[in-house]
Each structure stands twice: as structure tokens, then as C-alpha cells.
Amino acid sequence: MAGCSRRVAEPPRITLDLWAGQSTSVKLKNGAVANVELLGVSTVKDSVRNAVRETSATVKVNGKVLRLVCGNYHVPADAPGVRIDCTVTRAYRTNASDDEWALEKDARLRVWPSGNPLLDPNKFAYPVRQIWFANDTQMGNEPVFVDGGEEPGNGKVYYHAGLDIGGCEGMTEVVSATAGTVIQLGEKVLKGYEEYPLEPRYESIYVLGEYGWVYRYSHLTKISPSLQLGGEVKKGQHLGYVGKEGDSGGWAHLHFQIFAKQPSGRWGTEDGYAYLVESYLEEYEPPLLAVVRPHKLAAVGETVSLDARQSLAPGGGIGRVRWTFHDGSLAEGPTQQVIYDAPGTYSEVIRVEDANWNVDYDFAVVQVLDPKKPELRPPSIHAAYHPTFGIEVGTPVTFKVRSFNTAVGGEVWDFGDGTPKVTTNSKPAFARSNAYFAKLGLTSPELLLAPDAYAQIVHVFPRYGRYIVKVERTDENGFPAIAHLDVDVGRSDGSK
């Protein structure tokens, strides 16, 4: 059968599933030896829905003890002779809605030789044509939130095992991260590959790559008509455009997920965040990437800890971190603690400098609920823009936005350049699990996938500069949903 004849190369990493207290020794491709012991696992859950917000593995690697935070926008750590990370622990199995990882022990670790790339840069590309963190993301292990899906209670949680990269619907280009064979195209599966981890979906493409890994691209709109089932694709080849098709939750994004055979012998997710970071740095060479994710969920009155220490400065160490909060207050330092006195979706701005005075921005999303009044669901918002590269004075920039969990008012835009504020009115969607809105008849697949759901506005910036665009919508209870976008007008080198 076709699925049995493909030559599979050995991947550059070694994956270890270990019990707490278990140790092992492995030999890497460069001949180095890694002696690894899992000392223990710790977990932090939130008070609102009992969801895992952080889990970490304490390991001893070649004599060095490390604490590895699992997924959630972390990259591999350095140990003597190796690099190592933790992608998942059993904590996510306690209330997960799906078993995406195929983990049967306490933790999953990955080990690479020191000094080597995680993946061959000639064989892996960043899969969307836009700047880093151009808008919302939902990365490995992060509970989904953009569509307003976070809600009080102790039900099942969808921890996002893949990588959601938000984009501008129908405009942000999706490309193949690797060379490979198209083994699923829409609802058609290539004969002989039925046992692979595929899910026939009209808006999805699955590609089988060199390591025997399967790459999923979902929620696409305008899939390239040049693709053929069983055909070959090249790294960087056009696949389609970001959309909100299928079970997207109604917000426009690429669901990018890598599947690999895991130590359990079953197909499971190969966490790809570190691969995205590496490929983006290789392709665009930005001197600095500000990172203040994942998003946070808290109850009214709780202390929320915000952390920008996962920011990356390949051109020099992190220097100064400045915060501008939604209420206008300012602060400095990589970590901050904030208390919110009303429900809402808040966006806090960080400005990160490196030692060479390079600057980048990111936005800490904090969703605040009142567990005593679960029917009062605060709104959320997704905003995006295109193009994100090469914007000059006079360039028409398309901004799109969609609100969730409110049908009143409109989105108010402040482009940060002194021009008057503008209001748009998107077709809002409501979290599919929200019984309160369902009783009102406001939840339906047709509404979620409405082709004109996003409101659109075109703006031309009158001067060169770095602009923090703010868009906000307030619901009938006065609860806000705030989003920010970082727009660089005048830089044409493809970096932020």
C-alpha cells in the first residue's frame, strides 16, 4: 500500500515519556549522551474553571537540575551537551476534552544536541506570511479563549494541542511548512493512508513530511486549486488563505498541528511552538520578539501575574520592559501583578527593549469573569490587519474585527496616529457552550461561519512610525473587550 512505502528519515530530536522518579540514558545523533531523570511534576490550576494554567517538570540532565515549564510559549532549555523541553504532562488528562498527546506516563521530554537547530532550517518554514504575533494565538496547552469560550465551572477543557495563528480572513497567506505528499485534501483521503491521523474536513489539508510526521492546516478559505491529492508540495508553497471555516469557533486563524508517532506507540501531537520560533527567526531575522503569552483567566478581585520573561532577544539580552495598562497606569519590569474589579477581556501593552535598543511590542490578554454570575459572560474580540509587512505612508491597510458574546454597540477604533476614531459593527458570535445565549437563539453554525461576519475598514497612516492600534467594544453590562495591534509604518525589511 502507498502508506507503507514512503522512506522515513530519523527526526533530530529524541522523545522520552517518563514516570516521576524514572531515569534513562539516550545517545543523540551527534554521539552525545543524555542522562535524564524526571524528578517530579507540579501543576497550577485557576480558580474559575479548574483548568491547568501551568505545569512543569523538574529534571536532572547530565547532572544539571532544570525546571521546564510545559509548552505555553516556552522554548527548549540548555543543559550540558543538550537542549531539552517538556511538551505535556499527565495533568492535562484530568479534565481535557480530548487526548491529543497520546501520553501514558507523567511527562514527555524532548532532547536535542547542543549547538544544532531543532529542525533543519532548509526543511521547515513559518507557515503564514505575516509578522510574528500579528494578532491572537492559541498555542500548545493553552485553553481556547478567543471566541469567548472560557466559562466558569468544572467541565471539560479544550487545551489547544496544536498551534492557532490568527490572521486576516481571506488575506493572510498560508504556505506549506515542509515538503511532502498531500495525503488529505478536503474530504478526500489518499488510498493507503487511512490509518494515519487524518480527519476529512472540507477546509483542511494534511501533508506527510520527511520524518513521517503529518502536518495539518485547517479552517482555510480559498484553498489553492493547484493542489492534488497524492501530489507533492514544496516547503513554502502556497496552500490557501486563513479563514474561519469548520469548527473554528468563528474566528479567523490557521490551525497548524504536527502529528508524530510517540513513545506510547500511538499518534500524538508533536508540539510545534519552538519550531515556529526557530523558523521565523531564520526567515526574517528579527532582533527581538516580545512574548507575554499565554492569556490569563481570573475571577474579579483576584491577583493576576503577568510575565514577559519568555521574550527572545537573539541580537542582545533583554533590557527594559515597560507596561501600559488598560486604565492608563504605567509600570516597569518583566513581571507585574494586576487586580481587575470588573469582568471583561483586557489587553495590556508591553514594550520590550534589548541591549541594542531594538524595540518590540506584545499584548497580555486577560479575561476576567465573575463566577457568582456565570450568566454575565463578558465579551471578547478578535482583530487583525493586512498587509503586515512593508507598510509605507500611503499604503492602504485593511483592518478586520469580530466581537463575541455581545450584540450591542460597535467596535471603536483608535489608530494611534491622531486621526478620528472610527466605529464598525461586526456580526457577533456567541460561545457555543454558553447555554444562556443558546436559549436566546443566538448560537448557530450559520452565524459562526457567516462570510461577512468580520467588519472591515481600510486605513492609511499619514506618517511614518510605530503605531499601537486599539479596538474596543463594550457590552450591555458595561464590560469591555479590548484588543491591540502593533503596526510598523515605514519598515520594508519584513521584520517587526
Coordinates of all heavy atoms in Angstrom, one line a residue, residues 88-90 92-104 108 156-159 161 257 259 262 264 266-269:
V88 N 4.2 18.1 27.5 CA 3.0 17.8 28.1 C 3.2 17.0 29.3 O 4.2 16.2 29.4 CB 2.0 17.1 27.1 CG1 2.6 15.7 26.8 CG2 0.6 17.0 27.6
T89 N 2.3 17.1 30.3 CA 2.3 16.2 31.5 C 0.9 15.6 31.7 O -0.1 16.1 31.0 CB 2.7 17.0 32.8 OG1 1.6 17.8 33.2 CG2 3.9 17.8 32.6
R90 N 0.8 14.7 32.6 CA -0.5 14.0 32.8 C -1.5 14.9 33.4 O -2.7 14.6 33.4 CB -0.3 12.8 33.7 CG 0.3 11.6 33.1 CD 0.6 10.5 34.1 NE -0.5 10.0 34.8 CZ -1.4 9.1 34.4 NH1 -1.2 8.5 33.2 NH2 -2.4 8.7 35.1
Y92 N -2.8 17.5 32.2 CA -3.8 17.8 31.2 C -4.8 16.8 30.9 O -5.9 17.0 30.3 CB -3.1 18.2 29.9 CG -2.3 19.5 30.0 CD1 -1.0 19.6 30.1 CD2 -3.0 20.8 30.0 CE1 -0.3 20.8 30.2 CE2 -2.3 22.0 30.1 CZ -1.0 22.0 30.2 OH -0.3 23.1 30.3
R93 N -4.6 15.6 31.4 CA -5.5 14.5 31.2 C -6.7 14.5 32.2 O -7.7 13.8 32.0 CB -4.8 13.1 31.3 CG -3.8 12.8 30.2 CD -4.4 12.6 28.9 NE -5.4 11.5 28.9 CZ -5.0 10.2 28.8 NH1 -3.7 9.9 28.7 NH2 -5.9 9.2 28.9
T94 N -6.5 15.3 33.3 CA -7.5 15.2 34.3 C -8.9 15.8 33.9 O -9.9 15.2 34.3 CB -7.0 16.0 35.6 OG1 -6.8 17.4 35.2 CG2 -5.7 15.4 36.1
N95 N -8.9 16.8 33.1 CA -10.2 17.4 32.6 C -10.1 17.8 31.2 O -10.9 18.7 30.8 CB -10.6 18.5 33.5 CG -9.7 19.7 33.5 OD1 -8.6 19.6 33.0 ND2 -10.0 20.8 34.2
A96 N -9.3 17.2 30.4 CA -9.2 17.6 28.9 C -10.4 17.0 28.2 O -10.8 15.9 28.5 CB -7.9 17.1 28.3
S97 N -10.8 17.7 27.2 CA -11.9 17.3 26.4 C -11.5 16.2 25.3 O -12.3 15.5 24.9 CB -12.6 18.4 25.7 OG -11.7 19.1 24.8
D98 N -10.2 16.3 25.0 CA -9.6 15.3 24.0 C -8.2 14.9 24.5 O -7.5 15.6 25.2 CB -9.5 16.0 22.6 CG -10.8 16.5 22.1 OD1 -11.6 15.6 21.7 OD2 -11.1 17.7 22.1
D99 N -7.8 13.7 24.0 CA -6.5 13.2 24.3 C -5.7 13.4 23.0 O -5.7 12.5 22.1 CB -6.5 11.7 24.7 CG -5.1 11.2 24.9 OD1 -4.1 12.0 24.9 OD2 -4.9 9.9 24.9
E100 N -5.1 14.5 22.9 CA -4.3 14.9 21.6 C -2.9 14.4 21.7 O -2.2 14.4 20.7 CB -4.3 16.4 21.4 CG -5.7 17.0 21.3 CD -6.2 17.0 19.8 OE1 -5.5 16.4 19.0 OE2 -7.3 17.5 19.6
W101 N -2.4 14.0 22.9 CA -0.9 13.8 23.1 C -0.5 12.4 23.1 O 0.7 12.1 22.9 CB -0.5 14.5 24.4 CG -0.7 16.0 24.4 CD1 -1.8 16.7 24.8 CD2 0.2 17.0 23.8 NE1 -1.6 18.0 24.7 CE2 -0.4 18.2 24.0 CE3 1.4 16.9 23.2 CZ2 0.2 19.4 23.6 CZ3 2.0 18.1 22.8 CH2 1.4 19.3 23.0
A102 N -1.4 11.4 23.4 CA -1.0 10.0 23.5 C 0.1 9.8 24.5 O 1.0 9.0 24.3 CB -0.6 9.5 22.1
L103 N 0.0 10.5 25.6 CA 0.9 10.4 26.8 C 0.4 9.4 27.8 O -0.8 9.5 28.2 CB 1.2 11.7 27.4 CG 2.0 11.7 28.7 CD1 3.5 11.4 28.4 CD2 1.9 13.1 29.4
E104 N 1.2 8.4 28.2 CA 0.7 7.4 29.1 C 1.6 7.4 30.4 O 1.3 6.5 31.2 CB 0.8 6.0 28.4 CG -0.2 5.9 27.3 CD -0.1 4.6 26.5 OE1 0.8 3.8 26.8 OE2 -1.0 4.4 25.6
R108 N 6.3 14.2 29.1 CA 7.0 14.0 27.8 C 8.1 15.0 27.7 O 7.9 16.2 27.8 CB 6.1 14.1 26.7 CG 6.7 14.0 25.3 CD 5.8 13.8 24.2 NE 5.1 12.5 24.4 CZ 3.9 12.2 24.0 NH1 3.2 13.1 23.4 NH2 3.4 11.0 24.2
K156 N -15.3 19.9 31.1 CA -14.1 19.6 30.2 C -13.5 20.8 29.6 O -14.2 21.8 29.3 CB -14.5 18.6 29.2 CG -14.9 17.2 29.7 CD -13.7 16.5 30.4 CE -14.1 15.1 30.8 NZ -13.0 14.4 31.5
V157 N -12.2 20.8 29.4 CA -11.5 21.9 28.9 C -10.8 21.5 27.6 O -10.2 20.4 27.5 CB -10.4 22.4 29.9 CG1 -9.6 23.6 29.3 CG2 -11.1 22.8 31.2
Y158 N -10.9 22.4 26.6 CA -10.2 22.1 25.3 C -8.8 22.8 25.4 O -8.7 24.0 25.2 CB -11.0 22.6 24.1 CG -10.2 22.5 22.8 CD1 -9.2 21.5 22.6 CD2 -10.5 23.3 21.7 CE1 -8.6 21.4 21.4 CE2 -9.9 23.2 20.5 CZ -8.9 22.2 20.4 OH -8.2 22.1 19.2
Y159 N -7.8 22.0 25.8 CA -6.4 22.5 25.8 C -5.9 22.4 24.4 O -5.9 21.4 23.8 CB -5.5 21.7 26.7 CG -6.0 21.8 28.2 CD1 -6.6 20.7 28.8 CD2 -5.7 22.9 29.0 CE1 -7.0 20.7 30.1 CE2 -6.1 22.9 30.3 CZ -6.8 21.8 30.9 OH -7.1 21.8 32.2
A161 N -3.9 21.7 21.7 CA -2.6 20.9 21.4 C -1.9 21.4 20.2 O -0.7 21.3 20.1 CB -3.0 19.4 21.3
Q257 N -1.0 21.9 13.1 CA -0.7 20.9 14.0 C 0.2 19.8 13.4 O 0.0 19.5 12.2 CB -2.0 20.2 14.6 CG -1.8 19.3 15.7 CD -3.1 19.0 16.4 OE1 -4.2 19.4 16.0 NE2 -3.1 18.2 17.5
F259 N 1.6 15.9 13.8 CA 1.4 14.6 14.5 C 2.6 13.7 14.2 O 3.2 13.7 13.1 CB 0.2 13.9 13.9 CG -1.1 14.7 14.1 CD1 -1.6 15.6 13.1 CD2 -1.9 14.5 15.2 CE1 -2.8 16.2 13.3 CE2 -3.0 15.2 15.4 CZ -3.5 16.1 14.5
Q262 N 4.5 8.6 18.9 CA 5.0 8.9 20.2 C 5.5 7.7 20.9 O 5.3 6.6 20.4 CB 4.0 9.6 21.1 CG 3.4 10.9 20.5 CD 4.5 12.0 20.3 OE1 5.6 11.9 20.9 NE2 4.3 12.9 19.4
S264 N 4.5 6.1 23.3 CA 3.4 5.1 23.6 C 3.1 4.2 22.4 O 2.3 3.3 22.6 CB 2.2 5.9 24.0 OG 1.7 6.8 22.9
R266 N 1.5 5.4 19.8 CA 0.3 6.0 19.2 C 0.7 7.3 18.6 O 1.6 7.9 18.9 CB -0.8 6.2 20.2 CG -1.3 4.8 20.8 CD -2.5 5.1 21.7 NE -2.2 5.7 23.0 CZ -2.8 6.8 23.5 NH1 -3.8 7.3 22.8 NH2 -2.4 7.3 24.7
W267 N -0.2 7.7 17.6 CA 0.0 9.1 17.1 C -0.4 10.1 18.1 O -1.4 10.0 18.8 CB -0.9 9.2 15.8 CG -0.5 8.5 14.6 CD1 -0.9 7.3 14.1 CD2 0.5 8.9 13.7 NE1 -0.3 7.0 13.0 CE2 0.6 8.0 12.7 CE3 1.3 10.1 13.6 CZ2 1.5 8.1 11.6 CZ3 2.2 10.2 12.5 CH2 2.3 9.2 11.6
G268 N 0.4 11.1 18.2 CA 0.1 12.2 19.1 C 0.7 13.5 18.6 O 1.5 13.5 17.7
T269 N 0.3 14.6 19.3 CA 0.8 15.9 18.8 C 2.3 16.1 19.1 O 2.8 15.7 20.2 CB 0.1 17.0 19.6 OG1 -1.3 17.0 19.2 CG2 0.6 18.4 19.3

